[in-house]
Amino acid sequence: MQKKSELQVFREYLQKNRLRYTQEREQIIKEIFATHDHFDVDTLYLTIRQKGIHISKASIYRLLPLLIEADLVQDVFFEDGHMHYEHIYGHEHHCHLRCIECGKIEEFSDPRLKDVERDLEERFGFKILSHKLDVKGLCPDCREKLKKMA
Amino acid sequence: MQKKSELQVFREYLQKNRLRYTQEREQIIKEIFATHDHFDVDTLYLTIRQKGIHISKASIYRLLPLLIEADLVQDVFFEDGHMHYEHIYGHEHHCHLRCIECGKIEEFSDPRLKDVERDLEERFGFKILSHKLDVKGLCPDCREKLKKMA
DNA sequence: AAGCTTAAAGCGAATCTTTATTAATAAGCG
DNA sequence: CGCTTATTAATAAAGATTCGCTTTAAGCTT
């Protein structure tokens, strides 16, 4: 069975909510899914512009909540004064390990986090919906670099 | 052995970095440590103002990075368009479980996260410095409320 | 204790991100 | 094809954070 494309998923989401599938939205989504990289609004905007496509930044801001609601995108972390996002459709759930020196990001997942969730449900009576584990450290290169400096 | 006060810790941090211990900084820190609650810049600013103490908001913004660097404060999450903080000195490390309906926050910690950190060090060669697990869900009250609505 | 150096404060302007407004456009249904 | 109305671009507005500049005051040094 063929997996649905992100555009199909988004179309269905729109139909369910009586919203419209526009050229602009299609172009933005295509760009978001064109690379695996994380992105922020400004670089996404500039990338689209560079291709000669004219889309206003406000349209990106308006689209993002819909993509998040449709589980196609998630916000990853707030840094440098603005939010960073990534597309998640078709990927396993994962968390992020970031180097505080150079910004390098590794993705990982760990089954123990599900266990933690289960414990929390039991202990606090919450219905758990999501978790986000953000780990910071020094990548191998930066460790080496700092060792030499000291 | 008596634990050092947060002010002492901050003093030492300042000395190490040849920075100055000012009236303003002392008053801001005292206010931050006066309650266990999470805080944001604006409410902290207003609370201080209400006590008749005049401190500019910029001074708070300038102080926060120092407090974070000195491990007295950490940023907890970005919400409602701005960052939220908490003082951490004298507390065990903990993570946050938040209700997406009412905003209620439970704190917890789990030894398995240390295990995850160890695995990450081994697997990616990073030196791990910190982790932050943010779990979202529905608290017992809101689960009940939503059940009745449906 | 006074003098000196310079970090830090206050203030307001500037910047940056994100949201709201509004008139014009176009999706998509009948 | 025409109608309804969601969506767009553009711009203004709002809110958070930072910057620049002048004045104040920590905290050495003598």
Side-chain angles (χ1 to χ4, degrees), chain A residues 110-123:
Chain A
D110 195 297
R112 281 171 289 208
L113 294 172
K114 270 287 165 207
D115 301 337
V116 173
E117 281 194 10
R118 267 187 289 273
D119 280 12
L120 290 172
E121 294 212 321
E122 196 171 317
R123 182 167 154 209

PDB file of all heavy atoms in Angstrom, chain A residues 110-123:
ATOM      1  N   ASP A 110      14.392   6.956  21.700  1.00  0.00           N
ATOM      2  CA  ASP A 110      14.718   5.995  22.738  1.00  0.00           C
ATOM      3  C   ASP A 110      13.435   5.411  23.312  1.00  0.00           C
ATOM      4  O   ASP A 110      12.558   6.156  23.743  1.00  0.00           O
ATOM      5  CB  ASP A 110      15.526   6.699  23.841  1.00  0.00           C
ATOM      6  CG  ASP A 110      16.208   5.693  24.754  1.00  0.00           C
ATOM      7  OD1 ASP A 110      15.485   4.924  25.427  1.00  0.00           O
ATOM      8  OD2 ASP A 110      17.448   5.666  24.778  1.00  0.00           O
ATOM      9  N   PRO A 111      13.335   4.091  23.327  1.00  0.00           N
ATOM     10  CA  PRO A 111      12.106   3.457  23.805  1.00  0.00           C
ATOM     11  C   PRO A 111      11.816   3.763  25.276  1.00  0.00           C
ATOM     12  O   PRO A 111      10.652   3.710  25.695  1.00  0.00           O
ATOM     13  CB  PRO A 111      12.373   1.963  23.601  1.00  0.00           C
ATOM     14  CG  PRO A 111      13.858   1.841  23.482  1.00  0.00           C
ATOM     15  CD  PRO A 111      14.329   3.114  22.878  1.00  0.00           C
ATOM     16  N   ARG A 112      12.841   4.116  26.023  1.00  0.00           N
ATOM     17  CA  ARG A 112      12.609   4.391  27.446  1.00  0.00           C
ATOM     18  C   ARG A 112      11.705   5.593  27.670  1.00  0.00           C
ATOM     19  O   ARG A 112      11.067   5.729  28.715  1.00  0.00           O
ATOM     20  CB  ARG A 112      13.957   4.608  28.149  1.00  0.00           C
ATOM     21  CG  ARG A 112      14.647   3.302  28.457  1.00  0.00           C
ATOM     22  CD  ARG A 112      16.057   3.536  28.933  1.00  0.00           C
ATOM     23  NE  ARG A 112      16.912   3.988  27.835  1.00  0.00           N
ATOM     24  CZ  ARG A 112      18.238   3.768  27.790  1.00  0.00           C
ATOM     25  NH1 ARG A 112      18.841   3.134  28.765  1.00  0.00           N
ATOM     26  NH2 ARG A 112      18.952   4.182  26.767  1.00  0.00           N
ATOM     27  N   LEU A 113      11.637   6.463  26.668  1.00  0.00           N
ATOM     28  CA  LEU A 113      10.795   7.641  26.832  1.00  0.00           C
ATOM     29  C   LEU A 113       9.321   7.257  26.889  1.00  0.00           C
ATOM     30  O   LEU A 113       8.524   7.903  27.582  1.00  0.00           O
ATOM     31  CB  LEU A 113      11.059   8.636  25.707  1.00  0.00           C
ATOM     32  CG  LEU A 113      12.473   9.238  25.758  1.00  0.00           C
ATOM     33  CD1 LEU A 113      12.761  10.069  24.525  1.00  0.00           C
ATOM     34  CD2 LEU A 113      12.649  10.067  27.019  1.00  0.00           C
ATOM     35  N   LYS A 114       8.973   6.216  26.162  1.00  0.00           N
ATOM     36  CA  LYS A 114       7.589   5.712  26.241  1.00  0.00           C
ATOM     37  C   LYS A 114       7.289   5.199  27.641  1.00  0.00           C
ATOM     38  O   LYS A 114       6.187   5.385  28.167  1.00  0.00           O
ATOM     39  CB  LYS A 114       7.379   4.592  25.205  1.00  0.00           C
ATOM     40  CG  LYS A 114       6.892   5.088  23.855  1.00  0.00           C
ATOM     41  CD  LYS A 114       5.435   5.526  23.926  1.00  0.00           C
ATOM     42  CE  LYS A 114       5.044   6.359  22.698  1.00  0.00           C
ATOM     43  NZ  LYS A 114       3.953   7.310  22.961  1.00  0.00           N
ATOM     44  N   ASP A 115       8.291   4.547  28.232  1.00  0.00           N
ATOM     45  CA  ASP A 115       8.115   4.055  29.598  1.00  0.00           C
ATOM     46  C   ASP A 115       7.902   5.223  30.562  1.00  0.00           C
ATOM     47  O   ASP A 115       7.042   5.170  31.446  1.00  0.00           O
ATOM     48  CB  ASP A 115       9.354   3.256  30.049  1.00  0.00           C
ATOM     49  CG  ASP A 115       9.619   2.062  29.133  1.00  0.00           C
ATOM     50  OD1 ASP A 115       8.667   1.606  28.473  1.00  0.00           O
ATOM     51  OD2 ASP A 115      10.779   1.609  29.076  1.00  0.00           O
ATOM     52  N   VAL A 116       8.688   6.266  30.356  1.00  0.00           N
ATOM     53  CA  VAL A 116       8.540   7.452  31.203  1.00  0.00           C
ATOM     54  C   VAL A 116       7.122   7.996  31.059  1.00  0.00           C
ATOM     55  O   VAL A 116       6.457   8.324  32.044  1.00  0.00           O
ATOM     56  CB  VAL A 116       9.577   8.525  30.823  1.00  0.00           C
ATOM     57  CG1 VAL A 116       9.320   9.819  31.594  1.00  0.00           C
ATOM     58  CG2 VAL A 116      10.991   8.025  31.097  1.00  0.00           C
ATOM     59  N   GLU A 117       6.654   8.075  29.823  1.00  0.00           N
ATOM     60  CA  GLU A 117       5.288   8.560  29.591  1.00  0.00           C
ATOM     61  C   GLU A 117       4.262   7.738  30.355  1.00  0.00           C
ATOM     62  O   GLU A 117       3.358   8.276  30.990  1.00  0.00           O
ATOM     63  CB  GLU A 117       4.953   8.485  28.092  1.00  0.00           C
ATOM     64  CG  GLU A 117       5.535   9.606  27.270  1.00  0.00           C
ATOM     65  CD  GLU A 117       4.898   9.669  25.879  1.00  0.00           C
ATOM     66  OE1 GLU A 117       3.887   8.965  25.649  1.00  0.00           O
ATOM     67  OE2 GLU A 117       5.419  10.401  25.030  1.00  0.00           O
ATOM     68  N   ARG A 118       4.409   6.425  30.278  1.00  0.00           N
ATOM     69  CA  ARG A 118       3.452   5.553  30.964  1.00  0.00           C
ATOM     70  C   ARG A 118       3.448   5.816  32.469  1.00  0.00           C
ATOM     71  O   ARG A 118       2.402   5.897  33.095  1.00  0.00           O
ATOM     72  CB  ARG A 118       3.775   4.080  30.689  1.00  0.00           C
ATOM     73  CG  ARG A 118       3.013   3.513  29.490  1.00  0.00           C
ATOM     74  CD  ARG A 118       3.229   2.014  29.353  1.00  0.00           C
ATOM     75  NE  ARG A 118       4.596   1.710  28.907  1.00  0.00           N
ATOM     76  CZ  ARG A 118       4.956   1.672  27.613  1.00  0.00           C
ATOM     77  NH1 ARG A 118       4.072   1.895  26.664  1.00  0.00           N
ATOM     78  NH2 ARG A 118       6.196   1.381  27.279  1.00  0.00           N
ATOM     79  N   ASP A 119       4.645   5.984  33.017  1.00  0.00           N
ATOM     80  CA  ASP A 119       4.733   6.283  34.447  1.00  0.00           C
ATOM     81  C   ASP A 119       4.036   7.588  34.795  1.00  0.00           C
ATOM     82  O   ASP A 119       3.365   7.711  35.818  1.00  0.00           O
ATOM     83  CB  ASP A 119       6.205   6.383  34.883  1.00  0.00           C
ATOM     84  CG  ASP A 119       6.815   5.007  35.087  1.00  0.00           C
ATOM     85  OD1 ASP A 119       6.174   4.019  34.676  1.00  0.00           O
ATOM     86  OD2 ASP A 119       7.921   4.930  35.656  1.00  0.00           O
ATOM     87  N   LEU A 120       4.215   8.568  33.919  1.00  0.00           N
ATOM     88  CA  LEU A 120       3.615   9.875  34.189  1.00  0.00           C
ATOM     89  C   LEU A 120       2.094   9.782  34.155  1.00  0.00           C
ATOM     90  O   LEU A 120       1.403  10.388  34.980  1.00  0.00           O
ATOM     91  CB  LEU A 120       4.107  10.903  33.169  1.00  0.00           C
ATOM     92  CG  LEU A 120       5.584  11.312  33.284  1.00  0.00           C
ATOM     93  CD1 LEU A 120       5.994  12.183  32.118  1.00  0.00           C
ATOM     94  CD2 LEU A 120       5.844  12.018  34.608  1.00  0.00           C
ATOM     95  N   GLU A 121       1.571   9.018  33.197  1.00  0.00           N
ATOM     96  CA  GLU A 121       0.122   8.858  33.108  1.00  0.00           C
ATOM     97  C   GLU A 121      -0.407   8.278  34.417  1.00  0.00           C
ATOM     98  O   GLU A 121      -1.416   8.732  34.963  1.00  0.00           O
ATOM     99  CB  GLU A 121      -0.245   7.914  31.951  1.00  0.00           C
ATOM    100  CG  GLU A 121       0.111   8.476  30.593  1.00  0.00           C
ATOM    101  CD  GLU A 121      -0.850   8.022  29.499  1.00  0.00           C
ATOM    102  OE1 GLU A 121      -1.260   6.852  29.526  1.00  0.00           O
ATOM    103  OE2 GLU A 121      -1.157   8.855  28.625  1.00  0.00           O
ATOM    104  N   GLU A 122       0.317   7.280  34.893  1.00  0.00           N
ATOM    105  CA  GLU A 122      -0.129   6.601  36.106  1.00  0.00           C
ATOM    106  C   GLU A 122      -0.001   7.511  37.326  1.00  0.00           C
ATOM    107  O   GLU A 122      -0.900   7.603  38.149  1.00  0.00           O
ATOM    108  CB  GLU A 122       0.727   5.348  36.297  1.00  0.00           C
ATOM    109  CG  GLU A 122       0.142   4.346  37.272  1.00  0.00           C
ATOM    110  CD  GLU A 122       0.940   3.051  37.226  1.00  0.00           C
ATOM    111  OE1 GLU A 122       1.278   2.595  36.100  1.00  0.00           O
ATOM    112  OE2 GLU A 122       1.257   2.533  38.299  1.00  0.00           O
ATOM    113  N   ARG A 123       1.132   8.221  37.378  1.00  0.00           N
ATOM    114  CA  ARG A 123       1.437   8.988  38.579  1.00  0.00           C
ATOM    115  C   ARG A 123       0.604  10.257  38.695  1.00  0.00           C
ATOM    116  O   ARG A 123       0.172  10.629  39.782  1.00  0.00           O
ATOM    117  CB  ARG A 123       2.924   9.347  38.552  1.00  0.00           C
ATOM    118  CG  ARG A 123       3.401  10.097  39.754  1.00  0.00           C
ATOM    119  CD  ARG A 123       4.935  10.114  39.788  1.00  0.00           C
ATOM    120  NE  ARG A 123       5.421  11.254  40.511  1.00  0.00           N
ATOM    121  CZ  ARG A 123       6.587  11.854  40.275  1.00  0.00           C
ATOM    122  NH1 ARG A 123       7.372  11.386  39.315  1.00  0.00           N
ATOM    123  NH2 ARG A 123       6.969  12.890  40.977  1.00  0.00           N
TER     124      ARG A 123
END
